Amino acid sequence: MRQALVRAVKSSPALEQLYRRAVSAVPYGWRQGSAFWDFYRLLDETQHLPPERLAEMQFARVQEMLHWAYGHSGFYRRLYDEHGVHPRDIRTPDDFARRIPVVEREQLATAPDLRVPLRGAVPASTSGTSGTAFQFTVDRAGDAMEQAAIFHQWARAGYRPGDVRVELRGFQVEPVRHSPDHRVVRLSVVNMEAHLPEMVALIDRMRVRFLHGYPSALAKLASLMRERGLRLARPPRGVLLASENVFDWQTEVIDEVIAPQTLMAHYGQAEKVVLGAWCETRRAYHFLPLYGHLEQGPAGEVIGTGLINRATPVIRYRIPDVLLDRSDAPCPHCGRGLTPGVERIGGRMEDYLVDAKGEIIPPAVVTFPFKHLRHIRQVQVVQRADRSIVLRCVRAGGPAEGVQAECAGLRRDFGRMLGESVPVSFEMVDEIPLTAACKFRWIVSEAARPVTQ
């Protein structure tokens, strides 16, 4: 009944806006249920506990999720029976790592009996950018707990539940969309260039303190503002990055032009597996042990166990993102007991390049040739299966000589990085299409090896 009502409201834009205004009249805090506030307070109260105590609390939740999945999901019962393991056999974290099998996205995406039929669970899906879209369900409590966990992390930038934020994420054609019930104003990622002055004016007029969105979208906003000599009247309290890997060239232009007091990124998944965010004292991720259990696979990839969504259990699930510079010691700067800490997240192996010797080049290294571009606004790096490179470039304006000089510099730097035998060619384009989720995929590699190799 509730989902049918939601569909009816969303079928009419006028009715949807009327509904949103009516809901927004109720104080934001009152609209969040006990699952939200209980988890929000728990995370706040436990973040400075010793890592050993947090690990005990985490493992108790891992055991609960194992028993739940075995008792309610046909897929997990069959999988564990085939491997000769029962949840009661898992008494230590070492038992969990040794005896519980790792699962792949394709296994879960094709399993007809994975989901647990819970009342009120809503359908969800991954974006499919990795090649396989995973359809699953999320229970109401898990959805509320994720929102609480994100807001808890944003509190490091001064954010509080109910604060208004401007978002640059997702697909939307209209330049501006107001969602007063969520305390959000969303700006179009695809129509940013044509409506930039009004977007900047809106942020100033509303005195918005927080901007939230894809790193690529916020870096594009900052780059366009720099090109046109635009600045915000007052720097925001925080810029909150999400849903994509973050690179130095993006944070540099955001820091220069938007100049937030705090720049923060968080890392998570639609599947609600693990969640981490930058410390306010340095740009390194603290993961929340009561949200998910994080392991590192043999190739450095993420292996995660979600602890908040019972409608679709996700246990020892391989995610093809690479953890770099992991530490299991507490943060010496903020004093939180949240572990592990991760300096960088390297992204999917499909985002890596391969040099002339067959060595993998991570995206963080690939960013260096782009740091000082001024006449080229945007570049997409395409590596073919034969390792040749195509650089698709969008001009920022200015003299042709400037563009030519920057192209020559890119050719030189890519030759140094990948080897002079790797061919580099250029395509000058008016725009680079975004993915279906309105994300900018800046590396497209057909040459990188799978993460498990």
Side-chain angles (χ1 to χ4, degrees):
M1 178 67 181
R2 182 174 179 270
Q3 292 182 18
L5 179 61
V6 170
R7 286 194 296 269
V9 168
K10 288 189 173 182
S11 66
S12 166
L15 187 60
E16 181 178 0
Q17 280 301 310
L18 184 63
Y19 167 79
R20 289 184 182 278
R21 291 194 189 97
V23 171
S24 68
V26 180
Y28 187 86
W30 293 7
R31 287 185 268 130
Q32 310 309 309
S34 59
F36 175 95
W37 286 114
D38 289 349
F39 200 52
Y40 188 84
R41 294 188 185 101
L42 177 67
L43 295 175
D44 186 58
E45 293 166 0
T46 59
Q47 61 182 321
H48 289 97
L49 289 178
E52 298 78 14
R53 176 59 183 139
L54 284 169
E56 291 174 2
M57 297 172 68
Q58 179 189 60
F59 188 64
R61 289 176 173 245
V62 168
Q63 290 176 308
E64 288 176 10
M65 186 58 75
L66 277 172
H67 282 278
W68 171 265
Y70 188 84
H72 295 84
S73 168
F75 169 80
Y76 281 106
R77 176 179 287 271
R78 184 173 62 257
L79 178 69
Y80 295 161
D81 287 347
E82 289 172 355
H83 283 77
V85 63
H86 189 279
R88 65 172 171 265
D89 302 327
I90 307 304
R91 300 178 181 178
T92 67
D94 185 59
D95 292 338
F96 181 64
R98 284 189 306 105
R99 302 198 61 186
I100 296 299
V102 173
V103 296
E104 310 288 347
R105 175 177 290 185
E106 290 75 15
Q107 283 178 272
L108 302 190
T110 57
D113 53 353
L114 168 68
R115 305 176 194 175
V116 178
L118 294 179
R119 183 177 180 181
V122 296
S125 174
T126 62
S127 64
T129 54
S130 65
T132 304
F134 173 25
Q135 310 285 335
F136 55 96
T137 53
V138 180
D139 66 76
R140 290 186 189 177
D143 206 32
M145 291 166 74
E146 180 186 52
Q147 195 67 70
I150 292 171
F151 286 178
H152 163 78
Q153 293 179 321
W154 286 355
R156 300 170 199 167
Y159 183 90
R160 294 292 180 268
D163 282 345
V164 176
R165 65 185 185 272
V166 163
E167 286 190 349
L168 291 93
R169 58 196 295 268
F171 178 78
Q172 125 187 358
V173 175
E174 62 267 44
V176 179
R177 179 187 295 170
H178 293 267
S179 297
D181 51 328
H182 293 302
R183 310 286 287 164
V184 167
V185 178
R186 180 170 286 187
L187 306 182
S188 174
V189 176
V190 295
N191 285 322
M192 188 188 305
E193 190 166 356
H195 299 276
L196 181 69
E198 67 183 90
M199 290 179 175
V200 173
L202 180 143
I203 294 170
D204 282 339
R205 186 171 64 252
M206 294 185 63
R207 297 176 179 246
V208 173
R209 298 168 68 234
F210 298 96
L211 305 183
H212 167 221
Y214 302 148
S216 60
L218 284 155
K220 179 180 178 181
L221 173 70
S223 297
L224 289 171
M225 290 173 62
R226 182 172 61 188
E227 285 177 24
R228 302 189 189 183
L230 298 175
R231 287 292 188 273
L232 296 176
R234 56 191 64 79
R237 174 77 180 270
V239 168
L240 312 166
L241 308 177
S243 305
E244 295 176 342
N245 289 307
V246 185
F247 301 102
D248 290 345
W249 61 270
Q250 295 169 331
T251 60
E252 286 169 6
V253 70
I254 292 170
D255 280 331
E256 175 194 339
V257 178
I258 300 177
Q261 294 180 36
T262 303
L263 180 61
M264 177 169 290
H266 84 254
Y267 168 80
Q269 311 77 33
E271 304 96 307
K272 305 184 186 341
V273 187
V274 295
L275 188 69
W278 284 352
C279 179
E280 70 272 31
T281 65
R282 63 193 185 113
R283 291 174 182 177
Y285 295 87
H286 293 328
F287 280 82
L288 299 180
L290 303 186
Y291 179 102
H293 180 273
L294 174 63
E295 304 171 69
Q296 195 163 4
E301 77 275 22
V302 173
I303 295 177
T305 297
L307 302 178
I308 67 168
N309 181 23
R310 296 193 169 203
T312 306
V314 178
I315 300 173
R316 300 210 74 214
Y317 173 64
R318 193 191 311 276
I319 301 170
D321 291 328
V322 181
L323 303 179
L324 303 171
D325 302 322
R326 169 182 169 150
S327 170
D328 291 313
C331 178
H333 303 280
C334 70
R336 294 185 180 91
L338 307 177
T339 58
V342 175
E343 292 289 335
R344 291 178 294 139
I345 297 170
R348 298 185 182 94
M349 289 302 291
E350 297 86 26
D351 297 333
Y352 284 55
L353 300 183
V354 180
D355 69 12
K357 297 176 291 185
E359 298 294 328
I360 295 294
I361 307 297
V365 174
V366 182
T367 64
F368 284 100
F370 306 117
K371 288 183 178 292
H372 304 293
L373 297 181
R374 289 294 181 268
H375 300 287
I376 296 175
R377 176 190 305 150
Q378 203 172 43
V379 180
Q380 183 181 61
V381 183
V382 180
Q383 185 167 43
R384 306 299 188 194
D386 63 2
R387 299 184 185 168
S388 63
I389 296 290
V390 178
L391 299 178
R392 294 178 179 149
C393 302
V394 178
R395 291 181 54 164
E401 294 80 7
V403 175
Q404 292 170 1
E406 291 186 347
C407 285
L410 288 173
R411 188 188 301 276
R412 181 190 63 245
D413 291 342
F414 269 81
R416 291 172 177 171
M417 181 169 55
L418 301 179
E420 298 295 339
S421 63
V422 175
V424 178
S425 60
F426 293 84
E427 290 181 6
M428 304 307 296
V429 297
D430 293 331
E431 63 177 355
I432 297 170
L434 302 176
T435 68
C438 279
K439 298 180 182 181
F440 174 62
R441 189 176 176 191
W442 76 284
I443 294 180
V444 180
S445 178
E446 300 169 4
R449 298 189 299 263
V451 73
T452 53
Q453 290 187 1

